[in-house]
Amino acid sequence: MAPGRFLHSHPYIYSDVEIVAIIEHARMLPSFYGPSRPDLLDAESGVLHIQQGKFGKERLLLLDPSVVQRPG
């Protein structure tokens, strides 16, 4: 491979089951900022509330509807 060239790997797409397992496991992890807050995702409005982001800033992230829609 020539200098300055990068080999990119293929992205891995997580299944719905894997995403749920990751989220459930993350809820059980200890937090430096106190107990976990399961109400930080407002699925009705599609907003994720980050309380302690980079540099301690609070952020509201609008999520794509495909992220919060429930299969059914």
Side-chain angles (χ1 to χ4, degrees):
M1 182 161 63
R5 309 255 325 168
F6 295 97
L7 180 62
H8 296 281
S9 62
H10 296 286
Y12 179 81
I13 308 298
Y14 289 96
S15 71
D16 291 344
V17 172
E18 290 172 312
I19 292 170
V20 168
I22 290 168
I23 292 170
E24 291 302 317
H25 183 75
R27 285 187 176 150
M28 296 185 305
L29 295 173
S31 172
F32 176 77
Y33 301 106
S36 69
R37 297 259 328 262
D39 58 337
L40 296 179
L41 171 61
D42 183 355
E44 295 297 320
S45 63
V47 175
L48 178 63
H49 180 196
I50 308 292
Q51 288 186 323
Q52 292 287 332
K54 190 174 183 180
F55 304 117
K57 292 185 177 181
E58 186 171 335
R59 290 182 169 78
L60 296 175
L61 302 175
L62 298 176
L63 302 174
D64 188 89
S66 66
V67 174
V68 293
Q69 75 187 93
R70 295 182 183 167

